Short mmCIF file of all heavy atoms in Angstrom, two decimals:
data_model
loop_
_atom_site.label_atom_id
_atom_site.label_comp_id
_atom_site.label_asym_id
_atom_site.label_seq_id
_atom_site.Cartn_x
_atom_site.Cartn_y
_atom_site.Cartn_z
N GLN M 165 -23.29 277.08 -10.23
CA GLN M 165 -23.71 277.40 -11.58
C GLN M 165 -23.90 276.12 -12.41
O GLN M 165 -24.84 276.01 -13.19
CB GLN M 165 -22.65 278.29 -12.22
CG GLN M 165 -23.22 279.24 -13.20
CD GLN M 165 -22.20 280.22 -13.73
OE1 GLN M 165 -22.48 280.88 -14.68
NE2 GLN M 165 -21.02 280.31 -13.15
N LEU M 169 -27.50 274.99 -14.16
CA LEU M 169 -27.63 274.71 -15.59
C LEU M 169 -28.17 273.30 -15.82
O LEU M 169 -29.00 273.08 -16.70
CB LEU M 169 -26.28 274.88 -16.28
CG LEU M 169 -25.85 276.34 -16.48
CD1 LEU M 169 -24.40 276.41 -16.91
CD2 LEU M 169 -26.75 277.01 -17.50
N PHE M 172 -31.85 273.27 -15.07
CA PHE M 172 -32.59 273.97 -16.12
C PHE M 172 -32.71 273.07 -17.36
O PHE M 172 -33.79 272.95 -17.95
CB PHE M 172 -31.87 275.27 -16.47
CG PHE M 172 -32.49 276.01 -17.62
CD1 PHE M 172 -33.72 276.65 -17.47
CD2 PHE M 172 -31.86 276.07 -18.84
CE1 PHE M 172 -34.30 277.32 -18.53
CE2 PHE M 172 -32.44 276.75 -19.91
CZ PHE M 172 -33.66 277.37 -19.75
N PHE M 264 -27.86 275.50 -27.23
CA PHE M 264 -26.65 275.60 -26.42
C PHE M 264 -26.99 276.23 -25.08
O PHE M 264 -27.83 277.13 -25.02
CB PHE M 264 -25.63 276.51 -27.10
CG PHE M 264 -24.86 275.87 -28.21
CD1 PHE M 264 -25.32 275.92 -29.52
CD2 PHE M 264 -23.65 275.24 -27.95
CE1 PHE M 264 -24.60 275.33 -30.55
CE2 PHE M 264 -22.93 274.66 -28.96
CZ PHE M 264 -23.40 274.70 -30.27
N ILE M 265 -26.33 275.76 -24.02
CA ILE M 265 -26.44 276.44 -22.73
C ILE M 265 -25.03 276.67 -22.19
O ILE M 265 -24.09 275.99 -22.60
CB ILE M 265 -27.29 275.66 -21.70
CG1 ILE M 265 -26.72 274.26 -21.49
CG2 ILE M 265 -28.74 275.59 -22.12
CD1 ILE M 265 -27.40 273.51 -20.36
N GLY M 266 -24.88 277.65 -21.29
CA GLY M 266 -23.55 277.94 -20.76
C GLY M 266 -23.61 278.81 -19.53
O GLY M 266 -24.70 279.13 -19.03
N GLY M 267 -22.44 279.21 -19.02
CA GLY M 267 -22.36 279.96 -17.78
C GLY M 267 -22.14 281.45 -17.99
O GLY M 267 -22.27 281.96 -19.10
N ASP M 268 -21.77 282.16 -16.90
CA ASP M 268 -21.63 283.62 -16.97
C ASP M 268 -20.45 284.06 -17.84
O ASP M 268 -20.29 285.25 -18.09
CB ASP M 268 -21.51 284.22 -15.56
CG ASP M 268 -20.32 283.68 -14.78
OD1 ASP M 268 -19.80 282.62 -15.18
OD2 ASP M 268 -19.91 284.30 -13.78
N GLY M 269 -19.63 283.13 -18.28
CA GLY M 269 -18.55 283.45 -19.20
C GLY M 269 -19.06 283.94 -20.55
O GLY M 269 -18.31 284.49 -21.34
N TRP M 270 -20.35 283.75 -20.80
CA TRP M 270 -20.94 284.22 -22.06
C TRP M 270 -21.22 285.72 -22.03
O TRP M 270 -21.40 286.33 -23.07
CB TRP M 270 -22.29 283.53 -22.30
CG TRP M 270 -22.25 282.10 -22.71
CD1 TRP M 270 -21.25 281.21 -22.47
CD2 TRP M 270 -23.26 281.40 -23.43
NE1 TRP M 270 -21.58 279.99 -22.99
CE2 TRP M 270 -22.81 280.07 -23.59
CE3 TRP M 270 -24.50 281.75 -23.96
CZ2 TRP M 270 -23.57 279.10 -24.24
CZ3 TRP M 270 -25.25 280.78 -24.61
CH2 TRP M 270 -24.78 279.47 -24.75
N ASP M 271 -21.35 286.29 -20.83
CA ASP M 271 -21.86 287.65 -20.67
C ASP M 271 -20.88 288.69 -21.19
O ASP M 271 -19.98 289.11 -20.48
CB ASP M 271 -22.18 287.92 -19.18
CG ASP M 271 -22.81 289.28 -18.99
OD1 ASP M 271 -23.26 289.86 -19.98
OD2 ASP M 271 -22.85 289.75 -17.84
N SER M 272 -21.06 289.11 -22.43
CA SER M 272 -20.24 290.17 -23.01
C SER M 272 -20.92 290.67 -24.27
O SER M 272 -21.54 289.90 -24.99
CB SER M 272 -18.86 289.64 -23.35
OG SER M 272 -18.19 290.56 -24.17
N LEU M 275 -20.31 288.81 -27.59
CA LEU M 275 -21.02 287.60 -27.99
C LEU M 275 -21.83 287.85 -29.26
O LEU M 275 -21.75 287.09 -30.23
CB LEU M 275 -21.93 287.13 -26.86
CG LEU M 275 -22.60 285.77 -27.06
CD1 LEU M 275 -21.60 284.65 -26.95
CD2 LEU M 275 -23.72 285.56 -26.05
N HIS M 286 -30.30 280.69 -27.64
CA HIS M 286 -29.53 279.88 -26.69
C HIS M 286 -29.63 280.48 -25.29
O HIS M 286 -29.98 281.64 -25.13
CB HIS M 286 -28.08 279.78 -27.15
CG HIS M 286 -27.94 279.18 -28.52
ND1 HIS M 286 -28.41 277.94 -28.83
CD2 HIS M 286 -27.41 279.68 -29.66
CE1 HIS M 286 -28.17 277.67 -30.10
NE2 HIS M 286 -27.57 278.73 -30.64
N TYR M 287 -29.30 279.67 -24.27
CA TYR M 287 -29.50 280.11 -22.88
C TYR M 287 -28.20 280.12 -22.08
O TYR M 287 -27.34 279.28 -22.30
CB TYR M 287 -30.46 279.17 -22.15
CG TYR M 287 -31.82 279.05 -22.77
CD1 TYR M 287 -32.07 278.10 -23.75
CD2 TYR M 287 -32.86 279.87 -22.34
CE1 TYR M 287 -33.32 277.98 -24.32
CE2 TYR M 287 -34.13 279.74 -22.91
CZ TYR M 287 -34.35 278.81 -23.88
OH TYR M 287 -35.59 278.69 -24.43
N PHE M 288 -28.07 281.06 -21.14
CA PHE M 288 -26.95 280.98 -20.20
C PHE M 288 -27.36 281.49 -18.83
O PHE M 288 -28.34 282.21 -18.69
CB PHE M 288 -25.72 281.72 -20.73
CG PHE M 288 -25.80 283.22 -20.72
CD1 PHE M 288 -25.14 283.94 -19.74
CD2 PHE M 288 -26.50 283.91 -21.70
CE1 PHE M 288 -25.19 285.34 -19.74
CE2 PHE M 288 -26.57 285.29 -21.71
CZ PHE M 288 -25.91 286.01 -20.72
N SER M 289 -26.61 281.09 -17.82
CA SER M 289 -26.91 281.53 -16.46
C SER M 289 -26.05 282.74 -16.14
O SER M 289 -24.91 282.83 -16.58
CB SER M 289 -26.62 280.40 -15.47
OG SER M 289 -25.26 280.09 -15.49
N ASN M 290 -26.62 283.68 -15.37
CA ASN M 290 -25.88 284.89 -15.04
C ASN M 290 -26.25 285.36 -13.64
O ASN M 290 -27.11 284.78 -12.99
CB ASN M 290 -26.17 285.97 -16.08
CG ASN M 290 -25.04 286.98 -16.17
OD1 ASN M 290 -24.08 286.92 -15.41
ND2 ASN M 290 -25.16 287.91 -17.10
N VAL M 375 -29.84 283.68 -12.48
CA VAL M 375 -30.90 283.88 -13.46
C VAL M 375 -30.52 283.18 -14.76
O VAL M 375 -29.35 283.06 -15.09
CB VAL M 375 -31.16 285.38 -13.74
CG1 VAL M 375 -31.78 286.05 -12.54
CG2 VAL M 375 -29.90 286.08 -14.17
N ILE M 376 -31.53 282.70 -15.44
CA ILE M 376 -31.30 282.10 -16.75
C ILE M 376 -31.75 283.12 -17.79
O ILE M 376 -32.85 283.68 -17.69
CB ILE M 376 -32.13 280.80 -16.91
CG1 ILE M 376 -31.76 279.79 -15.83
CG2 ILE M 376 -31.95 280.23 -18.32
CD1 ILE M 376 -30.52 279.00 -16.07
N LEU M 377 -30.89 283.41 -18.72
CA LEU M 377 -31.19 284.39 -19.76
C LEU M 377 -31.20 283.71 -21.12
O LEU M 377 -30.43 282.80 -21.37
CB LEU M 377 -30.14 285.50 -19.76
CG LEU M 377 -29.92 286.26 -18.46
CD1 LEU M 377 -28.78 287.23 -18.61
CD2 LEU M 377 -31.18 287.00 -18.05
N LYS M 378 -32.11 284.21 -21.99
CA LYS M 378 -32.15 283.70 -23.35
C LYS M 378 -31.52 284.75 -24.26
O LYS M 378 -31.89 285.92 -24.19
CB LYS M 378 -33.61 283.45 -23.76
CG LYS M 378 -33.74 282.77 -25.10
CD LYS M 378 -35.20 282.43 -25.37
CE LYS M 378 -35.32 281.58 -26.62
NZ LYS M 378 -36.72 281.25 -26.90
N VAL M 379 -30.57 284.34 -25.08
CA VAL M 379 -29.89 285.29 -25.94
C VAL M 379 -30.74 285.56 -27.17
O VAL M 379 -31.24 284.64 -27.80
CB VAL M 379 -28.52 284.72 -26.39
CG1 VAL M 379 -27.73 285.78 -27.12
CG2 VAL M 379 -27.75 284.22 -25.20
N TYR M 385 -30.57 290.24 -23.93
CA TYR M 385 -30.87 289.01 -23.22
C TYR M 385 -32.30 289.08 -22.70
O TYR M 385 -32.72 290.08 -22.16
CB TYR M 385 -29.93 288.82 -22.02
CG TYR M 385 -28.47 288.93 -22.34
CD1 TYR M 385 -27.62 289.62 -21.48
CD2 TYR M 385 -27.93 288.36 -23.49
CE1 TYR M 385 -26.26 289.74 -21.75
CE2 TYR M 385 -26.59 288.47 -23.77
CZ TYR M 385 -25.76 289.16 -22.90
OH TYR M 385 -24.42 289.27 -23.19
#
Side-chain angles (χ1 to χ4, degrees):
Chain M
Q165 211 174 168
L169 285 169
F172 175 72
F264 280 90
I265 57 172
D268 60 342
W270 286 24
D271 184 15
S272 166
L275 188 71
H286 301 302
Y287 301 89
F288 73 102
S289 63
N290 205 356
V375 291
I376 301 279
L377 304 175
K378 187 174 188 180
V379 188
Y385 308 138

